[in-house]
Amino acid sequence: MDKTSSVSIHEGKPIRCKAALCRKAGEALVIEEIQVDPPQAYEVRIKILCTSLCHTDVAFWKLEWGPLARFPRILGHEAVGVVESIGELVDGFKQGDVVLPVFHPHCEECRDCKSPKSNWCSRFCDDFVSNTRRYGMASRFKDFSGEDIYHFFFVSSFSEYTVVDIAHLVNISPEIPVDKAALLSCCVSTGVGAAWKVANVEEGSTVAIFGLGAVGLAVAEGARLRGAAKIIGVDLNPDKFEIGKRFGITDFVNPALSGEKKISQVIKEMTEGGVDYSFECIGLTSSMEEAFNSTRTGSGKTVILGKEKQMLPISLGSHDLLRGRTICGTLFGGLKPKLDIPILVDSYLKKELNLNGFITHELSFEEINKAFDLLVKGETIRCVLWMDK
Ligand code: NAD
Ligand code: ZN
């Protein structure tokens, strides 16, 4: 595929193209012709090359109520694209660049972006309801009747073209195959980053991962790269053990087969008192609590990655906290997109980071509903949708 075949004759003008619209919660997406407006200041219009489906897309597709349930909407946030045109005041991006859109912002200028302590961007992170980063509810998409279409997580990659703020865009080396690169736009970065930046897993340590979807498997890959000695995968799907072995999973627990025993009890018995690190990659309060209870008294650390749809609270033993165990959550694996994604690309190109095995299905963009079906049924890890196939 010619990555630089972007159409520049549209520069400064709207583009008409195909997008998969979510018109109603849980209903099949509809491929429609839409209008994508030109990028404004600090924005870039990109041609999507390929996009994949993450569980977060499924969660928002199903979301029926609340301020985040919006329709019609263009979902999708794991993707790779090529720059078609740039708005005013855009530095560092030019037509033809291969770019990753990322749902997590990185303005590079605020106090938190300048601090190495976290990947929180205090300038932008608190607003996750706007359509466009700097223009509030202004949308760059219109349907056939001229009605505005809602964006999703500042990316909206289920469209042939999308407009992304430069705070959500990373330039990457064109050497990495684009489908592999798409994994770094969300799931793999989130999982690997959680093991690397958030937990800082060290050599010889023990790890438990609740949920072995792409995010959980990426945590395993991150823990494997950090030299963890034992990596226990917890999943209801027994096939995930064989799959997980490729990413460093050494042991497997199926909650459906543990009888009366709590998973935390099983894990404590397997590790003589609990794991050094546990990660929740499902999005259930019960498994967040079990992940916390699985760690070692005194030093155990739990990292929450799963998104609990209703933002419900979790319940932890206050004495367990007093006795030294810690818990935290993370978005995008604690990675600062513009700094850390190029490091992961490099690691892949040096044959350290393993990106094989995540993509289990490839379909054309028109078959997007099939991809939803596969993920909902747990039959795929990642399904890549090609825009030009
Ligand atoms: P996925 O659907 O591909 O994987 C989930 C896995 O959990 C599956 O293997 C499933 O069999 C297993 N599972 C489900 N219920 C279970 C249970 N009760 N006990 C044990 N295993 C169970 O999802 P994914 O795309 O890997 O995403 C995982 C989670 O991470 C989602 O909640 C998603 O929203 C979230 N996420 C968070 C971030 C972040 O920045 N924190 C980024 C991406 C995704
Ligand atoms: Zn910032």
Side-chain angles (χ1 to χ4, degrees):
M1 185 186 309
D2 177 7
K3 291 175 190 169
T4 56
S5 65
S6 57
V7 192
S8 57
I9 50 165
H10 295 292
E11 196 169 340
K13 298 183 200 141
I15 288 183
R16 297 197 75 82
C17 69
K18 277 186 285 177
L21 262 66
C22 177
R23 288 210 166 262
K24 199 169 172 210
E27 281 192 0
L29 305 189
V30 201
I31 306 268
E32 290 183 20
E33 192 175 284
I34 62 153
Q35 175 178 310
V36 183
D37 287 338
Q40 299 299 303
Y42 302 105
E43 291 180 340
V44 173
R45 187 162 59 187
I46 66 178
K47 179 182 196 287
I48 298 291
L49 298 172
C50 69
T51 180
S52 45
L53 228 75
C54 164
H55 205 100
T56 311
D57 295 306
V58 173
F60 279 84
W61 168 63
K62 285 186 183 166
L63 198 68
E64 286 183 61
W65 55 270
L68 295 178
R70 293 188 168 147
F71 310 99
R73 186 175 222 179
I74 299 174
L75 296 165
H77 64 286
E78 231 177 56
V80 176
V82 60
V83 173
E84 178 270 339
S85 62
I86 60 172
E88 284 173 23
L89 304 171
V90 168
D91 269 340
F93 297 96
K94 60 178 191 321
Q95 215 172 59
D97 280 354
V98 180
V99 286
L100 274 196
V102 180
F103 73 92
H104 196 69
H106 186 190
C107 83
E108 299 181 284
E109 283 161 12
C110 72
R111 177 178 152 181
D112 293 273
C113 275
K114 283 182 178 162
S115 150
K117 284 187 182 169
S118 80
N119 70 340
W120 194 250
C121 169
S122 46
R123 182 168 172 206
F124 290 140
C125 268
D126 277 329
D127 172 15
F128 51 94
V129 293
S130 287
N131 277 323
T132 38
R133 203 22 112 191
R134 298 168 213 243
Y135 307 91
M137 292 317 292
S139 168
R140 303 283 172 252
F141 304 122
K142 286 188 181 55
D143 73 0
F144 58 92
S145 66
E147 190 193 347
D148 273 357
I149 302 166
Y150 286 105
H151 288 236
F152 178 62
F153 278 10
F154 306 94
V155 175
S156 290
S157 58
F158 296 161
S159 172
E160 288 176 315
Y161 286 86
T162 186
V163 173
V164 178
D165 192 285
I166 52 168
H168 289 266
L169 211 55
V170 179
N171 254 316
I172 55 161
S173 159
E175 279 176 57
I176 178 169
V178 290
D179 51 345
K180 297 283 196 308
L183 300 168
L184 298 177
S185 166
C186 180
C187 65
V188 169
S189 295
T190 297
V192 170
W196 164 35
K197 289 269 169 161
V198 185
N200 198 10
V201 168
E202 76 278 359
E203 216 174 322
S205 52
T206 53
V207 171
I209 303 166
F210 288 67
L212 299 179
V215 173
L217 292 170
V219 171
E221 174 63 9
R224 181 189 72 78
L225 285 169
R226 303 285 298 181
K230 196 179 188 72
I231 308 177
I232 305 168
V234 180
D235 204 293
L236 287 170
N237 178 349
D239 298 340
K240 293 293 169 92
F241 189 27
E242 271 317 304
I243 296 167
K245 282 180 187 168
R246 281 185 244 151
F247 301 94
I249 299 280
T250 55
D251 300 77
F252 186 71
V253 178
N254 184 343
L257 305 178
S258 67
E260 294 289 287
K261 251 189 210 171
K262 291 195 161 185
I263 298 303
S264 52
Q265 193 53 40
V266 175
I267 290 176
K268 279 184 164 159
E269 286 169 13
M270 289 167 80
T271 53
E272 292 170 21
V275 283
D276 298 310
Y277 302 99
S278 67
F279 298 84
E280 202 279 352
C281 310
I282 304 169
L284 294 173
T285 54
S286 55
S287 57
M288 292 175 190
E289 289 160 9
E290 276 302 280
F292 178 71
N293 293 333
S294 302
T295 62
R296 195 162 186 81
T297 303
S299 59
K301 181 163 188 173
T302 299
V303 183
I304 306 295
L305 291 92
K307 289 196 178 117
E308 206 290 321
K309 271 177 269 174
Q310 288 156 25
M311 299 190 217
L312 293 174
I314 58 170
S315 166
L316 307 174
S318 57
H319 267 242
D320 292 322
L321 289 165
L322 275 184
R323 297 195 298 164
R325 280 145 75 188
T326 55
I327 181 165
C328 68
T330 177
L331 283 171
F332 204 60
L335 301 185
K336 289 183 185 289
K338 288 175 198 272
L339 285 178
D340 295 321
I341 287 178
I343 296 175
L344 293 182
V345 170
D346 224 45
S347 173
Y348 167 78
L349 293 174
K350 284 188 194 140
K351 302 195 187 320
E352 295 158 0
L353 175 66
N354 170 31
L355 295 177
N356 292 326
F358 285 101
I359 300 167
T360 51
H361 296 78
E362 296 186 50
L363 294 171
S364 71
F365 180 50
E366 271 77 10
E367 298 173 288
I368 189 163
N369 287 304
K370 222 191 249 182
F372 268 77
D373 222 39
L374 287 166
L375 195 61
V376 169
K377 289 187 183 146
E379 289 170 7
T380 183
I381 297 172
R382 276 299 183 261
C383 177
V384 168
L385 299 164
W386 291 98
M387 307 312 275
D388 283 340
K389 265 188 197 163

